[in-house]
Amino acid sequence: MVIVQEADFDSAALTAELRARVAGQAGAVVTFTGYVRDFAPDRPTETLFLEHYPGMCERELEDIAAAARQRWNLAGTVIAHRVGALHREEQIVFVAAASAHRGDAFRGCEFIIDALKTCAPFWKRETLASGEQFWVEQRQADHDRTQAWDAGTPSKEQP
Protein backbone atom coordinates (compact mmCIF):
# COMPACT_ATOMS: atom_id res chain seq x y z
CA MET A 1 0.00 0.00 0.00
CA VAL A 2 1.32 3.42 -0.99
CA ILE A 3 -0.28 6.69 0.11
CA VAL A 4 0.87 10.19 -0.85
CA GLN A 5 -1.27 12.96 0.61
CA GLU A 6 -1.31 16.35 2.30
CA ALA A 7 -3.41 15.17 5.24
CA ASP A 8 -1.81 13.65 8.31
CA PHE A 9 -1.92 9.88 8.71
CA ASP A 10 -2.79 7.60 11.61
CA SER A 11 0.13 5.22 12.09
CA ALA A 12 -1.87 2.93 14.39
CA ALA A 13 -4.64 2.61 11.77
CA LEU A 14 -2.11 1.94 9.00
CA THR A 15 -0.43 -0.75 11.13
CA ALA A 16 -3.80 -2.34 11.92
CA GLU A 17 -4.72 -2.33 8.22
CA LEU A 18 -1.42 -4.01 7.32
CA ARG A 19 -1.93 -6.62 10.04
CA ALA A 20 -5.43 -7.35 8.71
CA ARG A 21 -4.11 -7.75 5.15
CA VAL A 22 -1.39 -10.21 6.21
CA ALA A 23 -3.47 -12.01 8.83
CA GLY A 24 -1.72 -15.18 9.94
CA GLN A 25 1.34 -14.61 7.71
CA ALA A 26 3.26 -12.15 9.86
CA GLY A 27 4.89 -12.73 13.21
CA ALA A 28 6.57 -9.30 13.08
CA VAL A 29 5.64 -5.82 11.94
CA VAL A 30 8.34 -3.14 12.03
CA THR A 31 7.36 0.50 11.62
CA PHE A 32 9.18 3.78 11.16
CA THR A 33 7.72 7.26 11.51
CA GLY A 34 9.67 10.34 10.41
CA TYR A 35 8.98 13.86 11.74
CA VAL A 36 9.90 17.41 10.75
CA ARG A 37 12.82 18.45 12.91
CA ASP A 38 14.93 21.56 13.30
CA PHE A 39 17.47 22.16 10.57
CA ALA A 40 20.10 22.65 13.29
CA PRO A 41 19.93 23.17 17.06
CA ASP A 42 20.56 26.90 16.68
CA ARG A 43 18.45 27.28 13.49
CA PRO A 44 14.85 26.20 14.18
CA THR A 45 12.67 25.08 11.31
CA GLU A 46 9.35 26.83 10.74
CA THR A 47 8.05 24.74 7.81
CA LEU A 48 9.18 22.08 5.41
CA PHE A 49 7.39 22.18 2.06
CA LEU A 50 7.42 18.92 0.11
CA GLU A 51 6.65 18.88 -3.60
CA HIS A 52 6.18 15.76 -5.71
CA TYR A 53 5.29 14.69 -9.22
CA PRO A 54 1.86 13.01 -8.91
CA GLY A 55 1.66 9.60 -10.54
CA MET A 56 5.40 9.25 -11.02
CA CYS A 57 5.99 9.55 -7.29
CA GLU A 58 3.51 6.82 -6.38
CA ARG A 59 4.98 4.50 -9.03
CA GLU A 60 8.48 5.02 -7.64
CA LEU A 61 7.28 4.28 -4.10
CA GLU A 62 5.57 1.11 -5.36
CA ASP A 63 8.85 0.09 -7.03
CA ILE A 64 10.77 0.66 -3.78
CA ALA A 65 8.26 -1.46 -1.83
CA ALA A 66 8.38 -4.19 -4.52
CA ALA A 67 12.20 -4.23 -4.35
CA ALA A 68 12.01 -4.74 -0.58
CA ARG A 69 9.50 -7.58 -1.00
CA GLN A 70 11.81 -9.23 -3.55
CA ARG A 71 14.88 -8.98 -1.27
CA TRP A 72 13.22 -10.24 1.92
CA ASN A 73 10.33 -12.50 2.78
CA LEU A 74 7.82 -9.71 3.44
CA ALA A 75 4.12 -10.46 3.70
CA GLY A 76 3.23 -6.80 3.16
CA THR A 77 4.42 -3.21 3.25
CA VAL A 78 3.00 0.27 3.76
CA ILE A 79 4.45 3.61 2.70
CA ALA A 80 2.58 6.80 3.64
CA HIS A 81 4.27 10.08 2.71
CA ARG A 82 2.94 13.58 3.18
CA VAL A 83 3.39 16.49 0.81
CA GLY A 84 2.68 20.21 1.11
CA ALA A 85 3.54 22.50 4.01
CA LEU A 86 4.50 20.68 7.20
CA HIS A 87 5.45 22.29 10.49
CA ARG A 88 8.11 21.27 12.99
CA GLU A 89 7.24 18.03 14.83
CA GLU A 90 4.57 16.99 12.30
CA GLN A 91 4.70 13.51 10.78
CA ILE A 92 6.24 13.28 7.30
CA VAL A 93 6.56 9.59 6.52
CA PHE A 94 5.40 6.21 7.77
CA VAL A 95 6.88 2.90 6.64
CA ALA A 96 5.85 -0.57 7.79
CA ALA A 97 7.09 -4.01 6.82
CA ALA A 98 5.44 -7.25 7.90
CA SER A 99 7.14 -10.64 7.83
CA ALA A 100 7.05 -14.05 9.44
CA HIS A 101 10.31 -13.16 11.22
CA ARG A 102 11.66 -9.94 12.70
CA GLY A 103 14.94 -9.89 10.77
CA ASP A 104 13.26 -9.60 7.38
CA ALA A 105 10.80 -7.03 8.73
CA PHE A 106 13.59 -4.87 10.18
CA ARG A 107 15.73 -5.05 7.05
CA GLY A 108 12.77 -4.43 4.75
CA CYS A 109 11.64 -1.38 6.70
CA GLU A 110 15.18 0.02 6.86
CA PHE A 111 15.75 -0.54 3.14
CA ILE A 112 12.50 1.24 2.26
CA ILE A 113 13.25 4.34 4.33
CA ASP A 114 16.83 4.49 2.99
CA ALA A 115 15.56 4.24 -0.59
CA LEU A 116 12.91 6.90 0.08
CA LYS A 117 15.61 9.33 1.20
CA THR A 118 17.52 9.04 -2.07
CA CYS A 119 15.27 7.61 -4.82
CA ALA A 120 11.78 8.99 -4.25
CA PRO A 121 10.91 12.08 -6.31
CA PHE A 122 10.24 14.56 -3.51
CA TRP A 123 11.66 18.07 -3.40
CA LYS A 124 11.95 19.76 -0.02
CA ARG A 125 12.09 23.49 0.66
CA GLU A 126 12.85 24.42 4.25
CA THR A 127 11.87 27.71 5.87
CA LEU A 128 13.64 28.56 9.11
CA ALA A 129 12.16 30.66 11.92
CA SER A 130 14.53 33.45 10.77
CA GLY A 131 12.74 33.53 7.40
CA GLU A 132 15.67 31.98 5.51
CA GLN A 133 14.51 29.55 2.78
CA PHE A 134 16.48 26.91 0.88
CA TRP A 135 16.06 23.66 -1.02
CA VAL A 136 17.21 20.64 0.97
CA GLU A 137 19.99 18.74 -0.78
CA GLN A 138 20.61 15.03 -0.51
CA ARG A 139 23.19 14.17 2.15
CA GLN A 140 26.17 12.08 1.12
CA ALA A 141 25.58 9.76 4.09
CA ASP A 142 22.05 8.99 2.81
CA HIS A 143 23.39 8.31 -0.68
CA ASP A 144 26.09 6.03 0.76
CA ARG A 145 23.53 4.04 2.80
CA THR A 146 21.35 3.46 -0.26
CA GLN A 147 24.38 2.38 -2.32
CA ALA A 148 25.45 0.01 0.45
CA TRP A 149 22.25 -2.03 0.00
CA ASP A 150 23.48 -2.94 -3.49
CA ALA A 151 26.71 -4.15 -1.89
CA GLY A 152 24.76 -6.28 0.56
CA THR A 153 24.67 -4.36 3.83
CA PRO A 154 24.11 -0.69 4.66
CA SER A 155 26.89 1.17 6.41
CA LYS A 156 26.43 2.49 9.90
CA GLU A 157 24.27 5.63 9.94
CA GLN A 158 26.20 8.83 10.35
CA PRO A 159 24.94 12.04 11.93
Side-chain angles (χ1 to χ4, degrees), residues 31-44:
T31 67
F32 171 86
T33 305
Y35 298 88
V36 177
R37 61 177 168 78
D38 285 332
F39 176 72
D42 60 339
R43 299 176 72 191

Side-chain angles (χ1 to χ4, degrees), residues 71-118:
R71 286 177 178 241
W72 297 281
N73 185 19
L74 300 179
T77 58
V78 174
I79 300 172
H81 208 297
R82 295 182 64 197
V83 294
L86 304 175
H87 299 283
R88 185 179 44 218
E89 298 184 20
E90 285 191 90
Q91 298 181 120
I92 301 173
V93 62
F94 174 83
V95 172
S99 179
H101 304 285
R102 70 180 182 272
D104 284 344
F106 272 110
R107 284 187 291 280
C109 188
E110 186 178 19
F111 170 85
I112 292 170
I113 196 64
D114 284 348
L116 285 175
K117 297 275 292 180
T118 58

